[in-house]
Amino acid sequence: MNEDFRYFPYIVRDIVSAIRSEYDSIDEIKPVFEFGTYLELTKQVQIKDQIDATKYPLVWLVWEASESVQNWSSKVSYTVRPRIFICNFTNSDYSSVERYDSNFISVLLPIWELFKKQLEFNKFVSIESQFNYTLADHLLWGESLGFQKNANILFDTLDAIEIKFENLEINKIC
């Protein structure tokens, strides 16, 4: 019997590739996928004096977990609690209404909806797995206004959606 073990970051990469294929056929939006630690995310979006439009919109899987075959809860599955950011460059002069119209409604939320659909039908994600998650909008994410002690200080100014999943079950394919 041949078993296909898939690390979760590569499952998400395949999901984003499917989203990208769907978007490539209908729009100029081409989501990019990266994964790594939260610190790597902040380094990824630190480009001084230039904006690299090819890296946005960005789907970033914050991956700080130790994942290996030895950590599986059974011989056929394991659970993860991933944190994902869907980010897009924004104009810091936009109002909140302009930000929602130009980024959240037209770019970020459609990518999130396609992500959920692809996740639901992915052969490595358990059909019984409940998609319990929390969703947070981050307007003008990365902008330090001085009074926000825990602000993300990034060079690129972004709007982002943060998704935190609860116990997503991943399966081996036999």
Side-chain angles (χ1 to χ4, degrees), residues 15 114-122 125 131 165 168:
I15 288 170
L114 287 172
F115 188 94
K116 282 192 303 188
K117 182 176 97 175
Q118 290 291 329
L119 187 65
E120 183 178 353
F121 295 108
N122 188 283
V125 178
F131 297 124
F165 285 94
L168 203 56

Side-chain angles (χ1 to χ4, degrees), residues 6-148:
R6 190 69 52 98
Y7 285 100
F8 187 69
Y10 298 104
I11 294 170
V12 177
R13 178 197 62 197
D14 293 345
I15 288 170
V16 174
S17 291
I19 294 168
R20 185 178 171 95
S21 295
E22 192 163 333
Y23 263 114
D24 282 352
S25 65
I26 60 171
D27 205 339
E28 294 297 315
I29 298 170
K30 296 174 171 70
V32 176
F33 171 70
E34 295 286 342
F35 75 92
T37 65
Y38 187 76
L39 179 60
E40 286 178 296
L41 168 62
T42 60
K43 287 182 180 178
Q44 176 80 11
V45 296
Q46 290 180 343
I47 293 184
K48 295 180 183 178
D49 302 324
Q50 66 175 348
I51 299 164
D52 183 359
T54 63
K55 71 178 182 178
Y56 295 111
L58 172 66
V59 177
W60 184 279
L61 168 64
V62 177
W63 198 241
E64 298 167 336
S66 173
E67 181 185 9
S68 69
V69 176
Q70 294 82 12
N71 291 340
W72 284 47
S73 57
S74 75
K75 291 184 179 189
V76 295
S77 69
Y78 68 102
T79 58
V80 292
R81 299 179 71 182
R83 184 174 167 205
I84 296 172
F85 288 92
I86 303 173
C87 315
N88 200 28
F89 185 79
T90 191
N91 184 331
S92 61
D93 294 329
Y94 282 172
S95 69
S96 292
V97 170
E98 291 169 316
R99 199 169 305 293
Y100 270 105
D101 288 343
S102 68
N103 264 336
F104 287 91
I105 293 170
S106 62
V107 178
L108 302 175
L109 289 172
I111 292 172
W112 166 235
E113 290 301 320
L114 287 172
F115 188 94
K116 282 192 303 188
K117 182 176 97 175
Q118 290 291 329
L119 187 65
E120 183 178 353
F121 295 108
N122 188 283
K123 66 183 180 180
F124 290 100
V125 178
S126 173
I127 294 171
E128 290 81 33
S129 187
Q130 297 296 314
F131 297 124
N132 294 327
Y133 58 87
T134 57
L135 192 69
D137 293 347
H138 297 288
L139 284 77
L140 205 55
W141 190 53
E143 187 83 358
S144 176
L145 302 176
F147 57 86
Q148 296 176 326

